[in-house]
Amino acid sequence: MKKTIQHILRQLLLRRMLPIYLLATMAALFTSCTTPTTLSQQYPKMYEEKPLTIAIMPPINQTTHAEAKDFFYTTLYMPLSEKGYYVYSPYLTMEMFQQESAYDAELFLEKDLTAFRNVLGADAVMFTVVKNWERVNIGGMLKVKIEYILRSTKTGETLYNREGDITVDTSISSGAGGLGLLVDLVATAINTAATDKVIAGRKCNAFVLSDMPAGKYSPLYEKDQNNPAGKKNVKATVK
């Protein structure tokens, strides 16, 4: 009889404890799922190699807008410099690339990059792939999709890779109704047409490269390892 009572008590205790175990397990799983990936975890090779100098390759244009390549090329210098890297001026390197038959970046995307280290002294080479460049005047939107690939000239490894599907919102709203809506529509179309590839490129660069680890000339150098990293493929609308 005594053993039976002990057994019943034990079963009751287990039943009362079971929800606690379940809650603890769920909490542990939830915590592990919500812990953000850090920059050092997502881009470990950036912190291992610590690139100082970057050469920018002419963009690989996969769109029907032939002029997108040249315009976007000039927008990459500033954001990389602001990240703390020494960046070779696109204006100076473009002529050299053309003379050395290196203007077609797709030929080097997966090839040996030692020449860029020997000739320029670059630690890494930034490739960009323009996958979409679409202007919607009526809706006031300019849609761009660009992939950024930073490769080491030492090892050939990819140090940084992120793709941005960015919509630049150029719409204008005065808040007026009736005739004011028509005026806003016309103003939006004009503003969208005036928002050229340089402006759209700069906004895309700023958003996508925001989580790129800082270079030596940045006050955040070697201090941002634990900062949360963004998604490898980011989609957003910016003004």
Side-chain angles (χ1 to χ4, degrees), residues 84-130:
Y85 297 94
Y86 178 85
V87 185
Y88 296 95
S89 170
Y91 295 104
L92 299 177
T93 55
M94 181 181 289
E95 184 177 352
M96 185 194 75
F97 288 154
Q98 290 174 332
Q99 292 176 349
E100 299 297 327
S101 301
Y103 189 64
D104 295 323
E106 48 265 61
L107 299 177
F108 297 88
L109 184 58
E110 298 180 356
K111 298 294 180 64
D112 180 46
L113 301 177
T114 305
F116 293 91
R117 182 172 183 81
N118 295 337
V119 176
L120 290 175
D123 296 321
V125 176
M126 174 63 81
F127 292 87
T128 52
V129 184
V130 183

Side-chain angles (χ1 to χ4, degrees), residues 184-198:
D184 290 344
L185 186 63
V186 174
T188 292
I190 295 173
N191 189 51
T192 303
T195 304
D196 61 16
K197 298 170 182 62
V198 173

Side-chain angles (χ1 to χ4, degrees), residues 19-31:
I20 298 176
Y21 285 124
L22 288 175
L23 287 173
T25 303
M26 290 175 65
L29 289 173
F30 181 76
T31 302

Side-chain angles (χ1 to χ4, degrees), residues 148-197:
Y148 300 75
I149 305 167
L150 185 69
R151 288 187 58 209
S152 168
T153 59
K154 301 176 184 177
T155 62
E157 297 279 355
T158 296
L159 307 178
Y160 178 88
N161 179 218
R162 199 179 190 204
E163 182 174 298
D165 189 349
I166 308 299
T167 298
V168 181
D169 184 359
T170 60
S171 61
I172 295 175
S173 177
S174 62
L179 184 60
L181 294 176
L182 179 59
V183 174
D184 290 344
L185 186 63
V186 174
T188 292
I190 295 173
N191 189 51
T192 303
T195 304
D196 61 16
K197 298 170 182 62

Side-chain angles (χ1 to χ4, degrees), residues 207-218:
F207 194 92
V208 179
L209 296 176
S210 61
D211 79 333
M212 184 176 182
K216 185 177 180 179
Y217 300 108
S218 168

Side-chain angles (χ1 to χ4, degrees), residues 9-20:
L9 290 174
R10 189 180 299 110
Q11 291 298 318
L12 288 173
L13 181 61
L14 287 173
R15 288 178 182 178
R16 293 186 64 183
M17 291 296 292
L18 183 59
I20 298 176

